[in-house]
């Protein structure tokens, strides 16, 4: 069954989000989340779950921060508490959550791996990569944002359970992350330390390309995102025909209203009630897994 997932930019205008009826929304749980402005504290989570479930909308949790040993006890406790609220899934990048799910699942007599959605950003690049996680009982595997349309389709063909693959069809995507305070260090180096603001979005430009990438620094380090949102456009039809059923729209760095508009538009594209060229696809065209190679071509 086709699943439309909307990752929220923030917690505003939730009534409009619910009226739009995505099958699931994704919010962050502090401090487990990465790259999310739509974060709640664990004390707020039960009410959020109840509110979305009343509208038959699943609530998925961004838990994509990497687990450090010093944080493990707190992460374990928050993960257990979040499960107990009845959330429908966790986006993870750290395989350690698989062990945490097994550990708590044995305590309460549940298979908790089916709550995990692996989203390691650029690392899941083949159907066999996806099989590795899906055969361990995870709910879904999110393909790399680096892939061409042909590569996405090939992944689906090579995956034993393509319906549990997930694709980002609209939204900004991560280019690079570092735990180092790179922006602050750079501004200090050029004697502009006073210009640094934590969580402020800056733009940077590489020497080899014109694109101005979005970047900011927070407690987790430095994040660099794409200059423009990825758009599957009419290529979504071929992705759906390949057997993939999970489509994610990420409103991060845009707005919830933008996310709602994209969701409505892509539903119409797949329903053939809208001109398929209403959104132009900007999926990578070259046959390569490396979107960030040193070329003069803007991607």
């Amino acid at each position: 069954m086709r699943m439309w997932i909307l990752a929220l930019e923030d917690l505003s205008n939730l009534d409009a989000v619910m009226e739009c009826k995505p099958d699931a929304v994704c919010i962050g749980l502090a401090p487990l989340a990465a790259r999310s402005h739509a974060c709640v504290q664990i004390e707020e989570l039960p009410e959020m779950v109840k509110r979305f479930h009343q509208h038959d909308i699943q609530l998925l949790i961004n838990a994509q921060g990497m687990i450090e040993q010093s944080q493990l006890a707190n992460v374990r406790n928050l993960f257990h508490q979040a499960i107990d609220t009845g959330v429908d899934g966790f986006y993870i990048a750290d395989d350690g959550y698989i062990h945490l799910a097994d550990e708590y699942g044995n305590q309460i007599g549940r298979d908790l791996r089916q709550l995990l959605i692996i989203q390691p950003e650029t690392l899941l690049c083949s159907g066999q990569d996806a099989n590795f996680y899906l055969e361990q009982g995870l709910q879904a595997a999110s393909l790399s944002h680096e892939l061409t349309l042909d590569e996405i389709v090939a992944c689906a063909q090579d995956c034993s359970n393509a319906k549990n693959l997930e694709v980002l069809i609209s939204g900004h995507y991560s280019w690079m992350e570092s735990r180092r305070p790179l922006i602050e260090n750079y501004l200090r180096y050029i004697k502009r330390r006073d210009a640094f603001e934590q969580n402020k979005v800056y733009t940077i430009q590489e020497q080899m390309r014109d694109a101005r990438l979005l970047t900011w620094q927070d407690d987790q380090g430095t994040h660099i995102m794409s200059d423009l949102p990825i758009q599957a456009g009419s290529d979504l039809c071929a992705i759906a025909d390949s057997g993939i059923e999970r489509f994610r729209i990420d409103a991060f760095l845009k707005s919830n209203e933008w996310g709602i508009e994209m969701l409505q538009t892509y539903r119409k594209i797949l329903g053939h009630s809208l001109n398929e060229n209403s959104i132009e696809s900007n999926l990578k065209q070259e046959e390569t897994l490396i979107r960030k190679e040193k070329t003069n071509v803007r991607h």
Side-chain angles (χ1 to χ4, degrees):
M1 180 179 293
R2 192 170 292 158
M3 186 173 187
W4 299 97
I5 302 159
L6 177 58
L8 302 182
E9 155 60 9
D10 53 37
L11 299 175
S12 67
N13 206 7
L14 293 184
D15 287 340
V17 171
M18 294 176 190
E19 185 178 344
C20 183
K21 281 284 187 181
D23 296 296
V25 298
C26 178
I27 64 173
L29 176 60
L32 307 184
R35 302 178 305 279
S36 176
H37 295 151
C39 280
V40 298
Q41 301 295 322
I42 190 63
E43 297 80 10
E44 303 170 286
L45 191 54
E47 182 59 31
M48 277 290 185
V49 172
K50 178 181 177 181
R51 188 172 177 186
F52 281 104
H53 282 185
Q54 285 175 339
H55 290 79
D56 296 320
I57 299 172
Q58 294 186 25
L59 185 62
L60 307 175
I61 298 299
N62 175 331
Q64 288 191 270
M66 303 303 287
I67 304 173
E68 297 181 14
Q69 185 64 38
S70 61
Q71 303 166 338
L72 182 57
N74 186 46
V75 169
R76 177 185 286 113
N77 182 48
L78 287 173
F79 184 55
H80 293 183
Q81 290 184 67
I83 289 170
D84 292 343
T85 67
V87 298
D88 300 286
F90 296 84
Y91 283 96
I92 63 168
D94 193 320
D95 289 354
Y97 277 103
I98 299 176
H99 176 73
L100 294 180
D102 289 346
E103 179 184 77
Y104 192 44
N106 289 335
Q107 293 179 32
I108 64 176
R110 285 181 60 191
D111 174 14
L112 297 179
R113 288 193 179 195
Q114 53 85 31
L115 292 179
L116 303 180
I117 305 159
I118 186 71
Q119 187 192 338
E121 296 302 330
T122 63
L123 301 182
L124 212 158
C125 299
S126 75
Q128 291 303 314
D129 286 342
N131 279 336
F132 175 79
Y133 289 104
L134 295 178
E135 289 173 0
Q136 294 187 62
L138 273 62
Q139 179 182 142
S142 180
L143 291 177
S144 168
H145 319 318
E146 310 281 303
L147 302 178
T148 67
L149 172 61
D150 289 344
E151 288 166 341
I152 292 171
V153 171
C155 286
Q157 293 171 343
D158 201 34
C159 180
S160 58
N161 201 355
K163 68 179 182 179
N164 289 340
L165 294 178
E166 184 171 310
V167 176
L168 175 68
I169 62 169
S170 182
H172 286 284
Y173 52 93
S174 176
W175 274 59
M176 192 202 79
E177 300 215 343
S178 172
R179 297 190 187 190
R180 296 178 177 86
L182 299 180
I183 298 174
E184 185 177 7
N185 287 348
Y186 172 71
L187 290 174
R188 181 182 288 112
Y189 175 76
I190 64 172
K191 305 188 185 309
R192 290 288 310 280
R193 171 63 181 79
D194 58 325
F196 173 73
E197 293 180 35
Q198 184 155 302
N199 295 312
K200 177 181 178 180
V201 177
Y202 300 83
T203 61
I204 60 173
Q205 183 175 353
E206 295 179 294
Q207 290 181 332
M208 299 297 292
R209 281 172 292 203
D210 295 331
R212 300 189 67 85
L213 305 174
L214 306 178
T215 183
W216 75 98
Q217 183 182 310
D218 58 22
D219 290 337
Q220 295 176 331
T222 305
H223 311 266
I224 301 177
M225 304 288 285
S226 61
D227 58 326
L228 298 172
I230 199 169
Q231 293 289 2
S234 61
D235 287 339
L236 178 59
C237 296
I239 294 172
D241 288 343
S242 74
I244 295 174
E245 296 185 353
R246 296 175 61 106
F247 310 122
R248 189 174 76 258
I249 294 166
D250 197 331
F252 182 59
L253 297 178
K254 302 297 284 185
S255 69
N256 288 346
E257 291 73 20
W258 179 88
I260 290 170
E261 180 184 355
M262 292 298 101
L263 175 55
Q264 292 170 335
T265 300
Y266 276 107
R267 276 175 167 160
K268 291 177 181 177
I269 288 176
L270 273 194
H272 303 289
S273 60
L274 185 73
N275 184 341
E276 293 182 359
N277 295 319
S278 58
I279 298 180
E280 183 178 356
S281 171
N282 61 5
L283 295 182
K284 185 87 163 111
Q285 298 300 313
E286 293 88 345
E287 293 183 1
T288 175
L289 296 177
I290 306 174
R291 183 181 288 266
K292 298 181 282 290
E293 70 271 15
K294 299 293 186 181
T295 74
N296 289 315
V297 180
R298 179 173 179 173
H299 299 296

